[in-house]
Amino acid sequence: VLEHESAAAQAPVSRARLAPALTMSAPPAPAAEPAEGAAPASWEAFKTAGNDFYKASKFESAVDSYTQAVECADIGEADKATIICNRAQCRLMLKDYEKAVEDANLVLAVQADNVKALFRRASALEALGKKEDALADFREVRRLQPAVTAAAAGIRRIESELKGGAGFVEAAKGGPRRKITKEEMMQLQELEERVRSVAQQLQVAKDRKQGAASGKRRLELTAEEMSRIPEGTKTYEAVGKMFVMTPLDEVKAHLADKVSAQEKRLKNFEASIEYLEKASKEADSNWMEMVNTIRKA
């Protein structure tokens, strides 16, 4: 399917034949401008808007759009679960942990093995101080997907806390437990917040990479279809809400530029992910080091 950045009027293209929109003698009439404040017509449009807000780190707006999407009458259960899971991630970023748990519960009620929902609920529960419940979710994530290292870090972190008891730490070499001082507790809480923050940033970067990869693939498919169009065919490009006649060679060049831009975005996201994965390990290591220091005190 040709996307809005293609030369066609957003018409589907078959590999067997060209869509009529690519060969029409006049450009298609632009869609009527929606009335001010008009809402998107479908849940897909709300979802797309939510995804765009999420990519721009406008998490409150993303929550609003996702909520509108799931309230549409024509949305299926699987799509609704996906969007609610996305909303849970936004609420984690907003530190609205209670609502994040509620969203994750909605997803898990219909998809009990949804790893993203389990991990997001675990992160929210840990932030709310519900350590045992968070631990159970982190363990389930590890059972379903052993490669999720952030879940392993969460397990180590919570098991260490539970072993000492709330407000206490087990001394090194089997010594007696002692109460954690107020200053030590504040330091631990700061480090825990750092661990959660980096984990959330890492998830955002991975989501954005996935979106960029999908966008690049759509552009490549569009370029492939455009290569099949005979020379001399009248083609049009969308410019805002209008369609402008554009030579085929220019259309192809524009698509190539956009593919190149997406490749650069992908590389940037990959670099961010690499950095954040290191930062995540460092944050977890700092937390464990702090715990061990307290134990030796």
Side-chain angles (χ1 to χ4, degrees):
V1 177
L2 294 180
E3 297 296 315
H4 65 278
E5 60 267 13
S6 78
Q10 300 182 337
V13 176
S14 166
R15 293 186 180 278
R17 64 182 179 83
L18 295 174
L22 294 175
T23 57
M24 61 176 62
S25 58
E33 185 170 336
E36 185 174 350
S42 66
W43 67 264
E44 291 101 328
F46 284 121
K47 178 186 176 183
T48 298
N51 290 346
D52 290 342
F53 283 130
Y54 178 79
K55 292 172 187 176
S57 298
K58 297 179 179 179
F59 301 116
E60 290 183 352
S61 296
V63 167
D64 291 341
S65 292
Y66 288 144
T67 299
Q68 290 174 302
V70 300
E71 290 175 350
C72 290
D74 61 337
I75 189 171
E77 288 302 316
D79 291 314
K80 181 182 290 188
T82 297
I83 293 172
I84 292 174
C85 196
N86 290 349
R87 190 172 66 183
Q89 175 64 22
C90 292
R91 285 174 163 162
L92 270 177
M93 299 304 294
L94 293 168
K95 298 184 180 181
D96 189 356
Y97 300 122
E98 292 282 2
K99 289 291 187 181
V101 170
E102 290 178 11
D103 277 347
N105 285 342
L106 291 172
V107 176
L108 294 167
V110 295
Q111 297 177 355
D113 60 351
N114 188 307
V115 172
K116 286 186 177 180
L118 282 165
F119 184 81
R120 289 165 188 176
R121 186 172 71 177
S123 300
L125 288 169
E126 183 182 8
L128 291 168
K130 299 178 181 180
K131 306 292 185 180
E132 292 184 354
D133 291 336
L135 179 60
D137 278 351
F138 279 136
R139 284 173 172 167
E140 183 64 6
V141 170
R142 287 285 285 174
R143 185 186 71 80
L144 293 169
Q145 285 191 13
V148 181
T149 55
I155 292 170
R156 290 195 305 272
R157 190 167 58 249
I158 296 174
E159 283 182 340
S160 178
E161 291 182 27
L162 294 178
K163 189 175 182 181
F168 289 82
V169 65
E170 189 176 65
K173 298 181 180 179
R177 294 191 309 160
R178 73 171 179 83
K179 189 170 181 62
I180 299 175
T181 67
K182 183 177 180 180
E183 182 180 8
E184 290 169 340
M185 181 63 73
M186 289 179 64
Q187 290 176 317
L188 283 173
Q189 289 173 343
E190 288 176 3
L191 290 171
E192 284 180 8
E193 179 58 30
R194 171 62 177 166
V195 170
R196 283 194 294 271
S197 175
V198 172
Q200 291 165 6
Q201 291 175 54
L202 180 58
Q203 184 60 56
V204 169
K206 288 181 177 179
D207 289 342
R208 288 177 175 173
K209 178 188 172 183
Q210 184 177 2
S214 297
K216 177 175 175 285
R217 182 56 181 156
R218 287 195 296 271
L219 285 166
E220 289 172 338
L221 289 172
T222 301
E224 183 179 340
E225 293 295 345
M226 295 301 296
S227 70
R228 300 171 186 273
I229 298 176
E231 292 296 330
T233 301
K234 291 182 179 180
T235 52
Y236 302 86
E237 276 191 309
V239 179
K241 295 180 180 179
M242 301 190 322
F243 292 88
V244 178
M245 184 182 293
T246 308
L248 182 58
D249 287 344
E250 286 187 26
V251 172
K252 292 178 179 178
H254 294 165
L255 282 170
D257 289 343
K258 290 174 182 178
V259 169
S260 178
Q262 286 293 82
E263 288 175 346
K264 290 180 180 178
R265 289 187 69 213
L266 276 171
K267 289 180 181 179
N268 288 337
F269 288 136
E270 286 167 357
S272 294
I273 289 169
E274 182 179 358
Y275 168 79
L276 288 168
E277 284 176 340
K278 291 179 180 178
S280 179
K281 291 178 181 178
E282 181 181 351
D284 185 56
S285 176
N286 289 342
W287 187 91
M288 291 301 299
E289 183 179 348
M290 181 64 188
V291 171
N292 290 331
T293 298
I294 294 172
R295 284 175 173 170
K296 293 174 183 179

